Amino acid sequence: MALWFCSARLFIFLFILSALPIAYIIYQERAETDHHVFHYYSSGFFRESAKWDYESRRFLVTFLEGGVGEIHVPQNYTCDIVLKEVTVVKDSDLTGNASLGLALDNPRNRLLVAVADMFGNRYSALAAYDLSTWKRLFLTKLSGSGDEKSLADDVAVDADGNAYVTDVKGSKLWKVGVDGEILSTLTNPLFTPKEWYKSLAGLSGIVYHPDGYLIVIHTLGGYLLKIDLAKGHEVKLIELAGGPLSFGDGLELISPTKLVVAAGNPSGRLVESTDGWETASVVAKFKGPMHRFATAATVKDGKVYLNHMVGMGYPKKTHALVEFVL
């Protein structure tokens, strides 16, 4: 009898313990906020990155299970509307690989997507798609079986259409030409911190600055790097006040002097530089939904939105693009 009683009490205790986080999530989902949130229904739990395509009034999102979706925002949109995701890319020959960072290349009417084997780290590639027809323009294999482990994580495109892909596993950058040819592989001692464990998640988010250089974040190192394309890909550590930017992921340049970093929780940080990104300072932090995880940032109509990876609900999964109130 005593054994049964203890077992029953243990069961009740475990039930209450497991219910607490669920109750907290429900509370957070229903809580009123002072910032705008785009909610949308999806078929998958995990959405890695999101970018606003202003020419077509849609968000483009990448699937951790592989693929790309679009979320149209109608002209008559109101805050109570839950939008719907429509799959536009699902390549059968890339089954088993994740679609991660993406970059819009509007002058060439295309979308660039980093593709990788997330668990085995045995395949990385860059795919390009036509934004009107979704025809795949090229698929460039960056690494494969027999190469060192790598994981293509994010991508940026320069004014000439060259793409730069970060390797979060192998701490390097691939440069890919406008037609999909691999031009070079960039390495530098600054890509690898002294502490071995910080190399478990290395170069991640990347943006192209209109003055002709790249800004890249090292996820576990928590620092920013400036790569000057006009000076032979010279790499400099950006001196950062108010950091580090630990767990920093996606980046979005919202002006020549301001950069948003999506960084888990707190969801986002605003970084500012007044000297051409030789030095910078964290000037604001944004605390979004505690039960979600911010992985990317984008700008729509002058407002910054953070993509949160995890969707909630079943069978419909509800995802959130949360306004970063500056």
Side-chain angles (χ1 to χ4, degrees):
M1 182 71 176
L3 180 62
W4 175 88
F5 180 69
C6 290
S7 298
R9 285 203 305 176
L10 179 61
F11 174 78
I12 294 170
F13 172 75
L14 292 176
F15 175 79
I16 294 173
L17 194 65
S18 65
L20 287 175
I22 296 173
Y24 176 76
I25 289 172
I26 294 172
Y27 168 77
Q28 287 290 319
E29 288 290 293
R30 294 178 176 177
E32 294 290 330
T33 66
D34 59 356
H35 50 269
H36 178 240
V37 180
F38 284 104
H39 285 107
Y40 67 93
Y41 290 133
S42 168
S43 60
F45 281 111
F46 303 107
R47 296 296 176 256
E48 168 65 15
S49 189
K51 294 296 178 185
W52 173 248
D53 179 8
Y54 66 92
E55 293 186 352
S56 298
R57 289 194 57 81
R58 61 187 175 183
F59 290 102
L60 298 174
V61 297
T62 51
F63 305 169
L64 215 60
E65 68 272 22
V68 177
E70 65 178 6
I71 302 136
H72 279 280
V73 180
Q75 292 284 355
N76 62 348
Y77 169 80
T78 56
C79 294
D80 59 323
I81 294 176
V82 179
L83 303 170
K84 294 181 180 179
E85 171 194 279
V86 176
T87 299
V88 292
V89 170
K90 196 71 175 177
D91 292 329
S92 59
D93 59 341
L94 293 175
T95 299
N97 293 292
S99 299
L100 300 171
L102 74 165
L104 281 159
D105 185 9
N106 289 112
R108 281 156 283 274
N109 194 46
R110 62 182 188 167
L111 181 73
L112 302 172
V113 181
V115 177
D117 168 16
M118 281 199 63
F119 300 106
N121 305 147
R122 292 300 186 188
Y123 181 80
S124 287
L126 177 68
Y129 302 93
D130 185 283
L131 282 167
S132 301
T133 65
W134 294 111
K135 176 185 177 182
R136 193 167 73 192
L137 304 175
F138 65 75
L139 176 67
T140 300
K141 181 180 175 181
L142 302 172
S143 70
S145 180
D147 299 324
E148 66 175 358
K149 289 191 175 184
S150 65
L151 200 161
D153 186 72
D154 202 5
V155 58
V157 60
D158 68 17
D160 296 322
N162 298 308
Y164 301 84
V165 184
T166 55
D167 180 0
V168 72
K169 180 69 177 179
S171 296
K172 61 179 177 290
L173 287 174
W174 292 283
K175 181 178 180 179
V176 179
V178 67
D179 295 319
E181 68 280 17
I182 297 178
L183 299 179
S184 60
T185 301
L186 311 179
T187 59
N188 189 279
L190 289 174
F191 294 171
T192 308
K194 294 180 180 178
E195 301 89 342
W196 66 269
Y197 55 89
K198 290 184 178 179
S199 292
L200 294 175
L203 303 182
S204 182
I206 183 171
V207 291
Y208 173 74
H209 193 283
D211 288 342
Y213 50 85
L214 304 169
I215 299 174
V216 187
I217 192 165
H218 193 289
T219 294
L220 291 185
Y223 55 81
L224 294 170
L225 296 167
K226 176 181 178 180
I227 304 175
D228 198 325
L229 305 180
K231 295 181 179 179
H233 304 107
E234 176 188 70
V235 181
K236 288 184 179 179
L237 181 69
I238 298 173
E239 294 183 27
L240 183 68
L245 300 169
S246 301
F247 300 103
D249 196 353
L251 304 179
E252 182 75 4
L253 199 64
I254 61 175
S255 79
T257 61
K258 294 180 180 179
L259 178 76
V260 169
V261 181
N265 270 307
S267 295
R269 298 178 178 95
L270 178 64
V271 183
E272 188 170 5
S273 174
T274 58
D275 59 2
W277 294 94
E278 296 294 315
T279 64
S281 301
V282 177
V283 296
K285 296 181 180 180
F286 174 71
K287 197 170 185 178
M290 291 293 293
H291 59 294
R292 297 181 186 261
F293 196 83
T295 54
T298 190
V299 175
K300 178 189 180 297
D301 301 332
K303 296 181 179 180
V304 178
Y305 289 88
L306 298 173
N307 174 75
H308 287 73
M309 181 192 290
V310 182
M312 302 291 171
Y314 186 84
K316 290 181 178 179
K317 292 80 175 176
T318 304
H319 286 264
L321 293 158
V322 181
E323 182 187 358
F324 184 153
V325 181
L326 302 175

